[in-house]
Amino acid sequence: MISVSIVNVTSYTGVELLRLLAQHPQFVVTSVTARSAVGKRLDEVFPQLRALEHLPDGTRAAVNPAIVLTEVPEKTDLAFVCLPHAAAAESVLKLLERGTKVVDLSADFRLRNVAIYEEWYKHTHPAPSLLETAVYGLCERYRTRIAEASLIANPGCYATASILALIPALAAGIISPDVIIDAKSGISGAGRSLSLTYHYAEANEDVSAYGLGGHRHLPEITQELEAAAAAGGHPVKSALRVTFIPHLMPMTRGILATCYGDLKQHTTSAEVRSLYAEYYADEPFVHVVDTPPHTKWTYGSNACFIHPLVDARTNRLVVISCLDNLVKGAA
Amino acid sequence: MISVSIVNVTSYTGVELLRLLAQHPQFVVTSVTARSAVGKRLDEVFPQLRALEHLPDGTRAAVNPAIVLTEVPEKTDLAFVCLPHAAAAESVLKLLERGTKVVDLSADFRLRNVAIYEEWYKHTHPAPSLLETAVYGLCERYRTRIAEASLIANPGCYATASILALIPALAAGIISPDVIIDAKSGISGAGRSLSLTYHYAEANEDVSAYGLGGHRHLPEITQELEAAAAAGGHPVKSALRVTFIPHLMPMTRGILATCYGDLKQHTTSAEVRSLYAEYYADEPFVHVVDTPPHTKWTYGSNACFIHPLVDARTNRLVVISCLDNLVKGAA
Amino acid sequence: MISVSIVNVTSYTGVELLRLLAQHPQFVVTSVTARSAVGKRLDEVFPQLRALEHLPDGTRAAVNPAIVLTEVPEKTDLAFVCLPHAAAAESVLKLLERGTKVVDLSADFRLRNVAIYEEWYKHTHPAPSLLETAVYGLCERYRTRIAEASLIANPGCYATASILALIPALAAGIISPDVIIDAKSGISGAGRSLSLTYHYAEANEDVSAYGLGGHRHLPEITQELEAAAAAGGHPVKSALRVTFIPHLMPMTRGILATCYGDLKQHTTSAEVRSLYAEYYADEPFVHVVDTPPHTKWTYGSNACFIHPLVDARTNRLVVISCLDNLVKGAA
Amino acid sequence: MISVSIVNVTSYTGVELLRLLAQHPQFVVTSVTARSAVGKRLDEVFPQLRALEHLPDGTRAAVNPAIVLTEVPEKTDLAFVCLPHAAAAESVLKLLERGTKVVDLSADFRLRNVAIYEEWYKHTHPAPSLLETAVYGLCERYRTRIAEASLIANPGCYATASILALIPALAAGIISPDVIIDAKSGISGAGRSLSLTYHYAEANEDVSAYGLGGHRHLPEITQELEAAAAAGGHPVKSALRVTFIPHLMPMTRGILATCYGDLKQHTTSAEVRSLYAEYYADEPFVHVVDTPPHTKWTYGSNACFIHPLVDARTNRLVVISCLDNLVKGAA
């Protein structure tokens, strides 16, 4: 059994991790930490966790912690860090130094280029040397390296949906290096920080675009799409041209990305479907489907559904992908 | 391993059962039947099931079926019947005759009194003799008998929430035999039959009461509450007086029942909380809590949260209970 | 034309008032004030107000204000005060002194008994002498006095729904002075203050009860129901026994109150329907209906729908009422 | 006063028209017809209409009809036809023959080219000669002709949002004739026909794309965008290349269209904002705004909000527009 700690368990991803790990036969959550609620019993803070105590088959769940701590105990094999960026890096450094492996859910170790990180996140990176050893935790791309890594940078939710939708086409070189990603996200993606924007009476019965000046998931999307194109033998000569427009949807969970690219040659929907099906043939969590996927299909699961098609009137590639932003995209 | 068949898998409860059983180490779903979609691959009908193929730990789920059948194969240990009442009884009869144990999710075997069944369901019961051997599947009341039964009548969702909320008080004889149940349900409770009432544009941003002439869960609530009062040594002399008003809420899943009763003596919230905590001390799926519970806490789980309190100004008992109407209340 | 100012226009009720008054032929909004956003153009703060500039018939709306002010200008005929309690009373005092009539949307002048006010609102009332002259703004009860008043205390949203549902029965003396009000409210009732409880990801797909220790609308409900019973010749001897349990619903607007009382004599649904229809025969905004009403019917309107019935098995009166909590109940 | 009839009042657009016309000083609805509910009082069919009887100012609404008829009475000045296509054309023909002016809300008279109509709607057009005289009812384009027309073809909701978003850029010739429209619609757009897709339990907490083989609003979008480009002196040489992908959102009302086009020259957001502001300077119902608009801003109103910007990294034009699909886009 691998002993696990969840750092900042009071975030949405922290609670969700607890749920996922409770059902997992190889992990046992032995401690949790937080910045508030320290010293309280975890089920006082989240009474809903009592629903996890007993699995549907009557056995008890693999979760131990009772009291919220301030620090991860020594002798913890693995820590999931659910802190915001900057705070995350500090915590990661400490954990690595004493030998605990880390999955960091923040953006601190996703970008390999420190200059790009500092441009988008507006502060000095506290541990640029770690950017080389950190592995971008997209198992469909880096499975082997993830298994060996001591620091895994968990991809962003928008990034995961966008990258999985576009890498087969870019790696095969069938589209021009110029894409549009129109993404739709549920509101849990914004986390638990208070903001009028995410208040029910504002967000319900409403759709809007945001982040129009540039969303922080854009550089990691670009980095990974360029890497995939190069790995596929179709390197992008100048920088990949990506327009990424995120939208807020009146729902709690789920991301749907609708991606557009120009096909270099006349292609049919059957051809792209078969290209994608082959690319993901051995991937347990990516499902290439024949009908438009629904975010609801992914609720609570680690699945990503992808539906590629050709808009025949314009010979444009359209790829629709979806996943649960609290599971596949964040943990 | 127990081999399981799901009859009428295309209902909401059928799909939900598939999800629950996929994660269960002792059951393997070996077949599914339906009235439509026969002969199709199940993952053509429900592409979302592909998200269940692989558990989060990478192992494969315990689900076999590929093709939707018309009949449950011989040599099936257990069948879950997800048909509407009347159709359910017919199917149950056939299954029992050849030795398959049955959990019936319809109302056909919940009421022990055939006259009451026929009054509320308006048709002749096809197998009144089975009413004696059928066990009402509320494990908090009949766990031992359920384990031995060949026919289990799964309780209704409203009934489960209401009965669990009120039996400790009635069994202890602390309230008068006169209760009000104001219940709030998500819309999945109505199943997949088409009706304008359940259309999104009608049901969204709307709350309303329904079933005001008498909802069919009322007789099973009355039957079980009277049985609990008698078992607790406080039999109800004339019939228990129950007003049950269900409401439709703009959400998919969840039931919250707010139950009201008059306390016979001056009582405090602490006293009723401790009575309830003791009553459910050994129950893995019932959680007595100190704060008002949220339906969201139960999403996808088998848990029922109960919060009893005394309205001090009126010495009235108020008990709030909630559960997931597609899990605890139906399967 | 009556010149109107809206004090604290940045509240939900403030914006809603602007919408209602824009369409009204006899009022013109000549100024608005707020505690933040002062000095800004109102349509910068709320771009959606531009949708009100032009009525559907192409005429321009009767709204003047451009800039958010700190103080109501002299020579304003009428001010709607949309401040929280305590702050409201201070503002009301100033406005009345210089001759501006006031509709106060807070709770500061709803209770005639200053001791009860101070018990529930936990602070000293700044102007107890005004409690005598303030008129409780429920037009179905005090229409004549409202027309002449210089200070109108606008009823709470829960209070309006509950009082309209129960006064015909109490005034006619057909029920015992012992009632239960199980109320369901949309989330806009909580206003625009930030709280995790009202965040979309918390409140969506969720139903819960709250205010179980006693909700502040209870004393005004009791005050008005007792007054109605007395006015109908059926005064309540000791205090009316009211249990009031509010619930939060996953929707933006609307309140539905389900009220329960014991009928003194055997009565039919037809009899209570006819009693209610007669009571409200001349009321333009109260509609007694034959089917369970939906909160959605009242969206954006000043209507209250009421459906009284008798639960025949228990001879209990059940009255269901609903309204838009941002219109009928607050403005 | 202009006497109005609503044909097929039981559709969502029919009821919405009733609401809008009730408040309009120049129209009086004198009759309504339907295919079901004939002979019933309208407020039996829609009890919510009683909320419209009295306007907020206490005056009575300009709506007469009591009984649902089968046919529009003679001497009706204007009829709004809310029937599905094909059925609509038949009704329109009859009404025009006897001299009643018609606003047709179906697609039957939107396309000027009968061959395109028959290709997309798969049946022979019953009155091709009328296609020449019918006016496409987009007042921002054809205001003068609409005022004189005897047959107005009301634009589709997606079409209105898309066309208003793109015509300023195409008429000014600043983008290539190659655009992508990623549209998001609330569920009321699907009307009241029963379908599992629009059931609450399916559509809630879900986002998906649909109509991927080609949505019927595409030909009217193309027709009007090409006309606008030509009128602006920038005719499209070969056919305009339009990819149009509609998505279903979990909300009742509202459409948001995110439109993408390649700018021919380096351009700034300020420049396109000023181009758009000028184009719509005199339009009462189109509002060019500086921040991303929200569908909620348009709820129940005739407004369309438009936010054009340049994605500086790619020099791509992005235009976001939104409206209420039951008001601006359909009536």
Side-chain angles (χ1 to χ4, degrees), chain D:
Chain D
M1 295 288 274
I2 297 163
S3 63
V4 174
S5 187
I6 299 174
V7 175
N8 200 28
V9 71
T10 53
S11 58
Y12 283 140
T13 45
V15 177
E16 186 66 13
L17 269 170
L18 211 57
R19 182 181 74 82
L20 294 172
L21 294 169
Q23 301 166 5
H24 200 291
Q26 289 163 321
F27 293 102
V28 57
V29 178
T30 49
S31 64
V32 296
T33 77
R35 297 185 292 185
S36 61
V38 171
K40 288 201 180 166
R41 284 180 56 89
L42 194 57
D43 60 5
E44 272 178 87
V45 187
F46 297 112
Q48 67 266 45
L49 293 179
R50 297 183 59 182
L52 295 180
E53 284 169 14
H54 298 266
L55 298 180
D57 64 359
T59 60
R60 295 190 73 88
V63 177
N64 279 333
I67 304 296
V68 178
L69 308 176
T70 46
E71 294 293 336
V72 176
E74 302 278 343
K75 303 200 183 163
T76 302
D77 299 325
L78 176 63
F80 287 86
V81 174
C82 305
L83 289 162
H85 68 89
E90 280 180 48
S91 173
V92 167
L93 277 177
K94 277 193 218 159
L95 289 161
L96 288 177
E97 271 165 22
R98 59 186 232 199
T100 298
K101 292 190 177 190
V102 176
V103 177
D104 177 22
L105 278 76
S106 86
D108 279 347
F109 299 97
R110 292 177 190 161
L111 297 172
R112 282 185 281 278
N113 182 326
V114 69
I116 294 180
Y117 176 87
E118 296 182 351
E119 178 195 338
W120 283 84
Y121 290 89
K122 312 284 180 209
H123 73 109
T124 306
H125 197 289
S129 65
L130 282 175
L131 295 181
E132 277 167 51
T133 52
V135 175
Y136 192 75
L138 190 70
C139 62
E140 287 78 10
R141 283 279 294 151
Y142 305 109
R143 182 167 282 115
T144 323
R145 292 180 53 201
I146 289 168
E148 295 159 358
S150 56
L151 171 55
I152 298 163
N154 198 75
C157 48
Y158 279 124
T160 303
S162 306
I163 294 165
L164 292 177
L166 286 168
I167 48 177
L170 284 164
I174 61 170
I175 55 170
S176 310
D178 181 6
V179 296
I180 291 171
I181 300 163
D182 186 294
K184 296 96 180 157
S185 172
I187 293 165
S188 64
R192 293 178 94 214
S193 334
L194 295 183
S195 158
L196 192 57
T197 306
Y198 310 124
H199 253 213
Y200 189 92
E202 301 287 322
N204 186 39
E205 272 286 303
D206 190 39
V207 166
S208 63
Y210 69 103
L212 300 178
H215 187 281
R216 283 169 169 175
H217 284 189
L218 178 55
E220 55 175 298
I221 292 171
T222 309
Q223 165 184 289
E224 293 303 318
L225 291 181
E226 288 179 351
H234 294 276
V236 176
K237 275 163 206 165
S238 58
L240 187 68
R241 194 173 170 240
V242 183
T243 293
F244 168 57
I245 306 284
H247 298 76
L248 214 56
M249 302 287 112
M251 63 184 190
T252 302
R253 289 177 175 216
I255 276 188
L256 187 116
T258 312
C259 306
Y260 303 89
D262 268 323
L263 287 158
K264 291 177 186 165
Q265 302 188 343
H266 178 267
T267 313
T268 66
S269 285
E271 285 164 348
V272 298
R273 195 113 359 121
S274 124
L275 171 76
Y276 272 69
E278 211 165 295
Y279 191 93
Y280 288 122
D282 299 328
E283 289 300 334
F285 301 121
V286 178
H287 307 285
V288 178
V289 286
D290 289 349
T291 50
H294 290 246
T295 58
K296 175 170 273 186
W297 294 355
T298 67
Y299 199 104
S301 97
N302 197 41
C304 176
F305 286 87
I306 298 185
H307 178 58
L309 71 141
V310 176
D311 181 38
R313 281 172 203 82
T314 58
N315 200 41
R316 194 148 14 218
L317 177 70
V318 181
V319 188
I320 300 162
S321 66
C322 67
L323 48 79
D324 181 339
N325 60 309
L326 291 183
V327 185
K328 180 68 180 168

Side-chain angles (χ1 to χ4, degrees), chain B residues 23 26 33-34 37 63 106 136 146 149 153 165 172 183 210 216 248 276-277 308:
Chain B
Q23 303 167 2
Q26 289 163 321
T33 76
V63 176
S106 86
Y136 192 74
I146 289 169
Y210 70 102
R216 282 168 169 176
L248 215 56
Y276 272 69

Side-chain angles (χ1 to χ4, degrees), chain A residues 290-308:
Chain A
D290 290 350
T291 50
H294 290 246
T295 58
K296 175 170 275 186
W297 294 355
T298 67
Y299 198 105
S301 96
N302 196 41
C304 176
F305 286 87
I306 299 185
H307 178 59

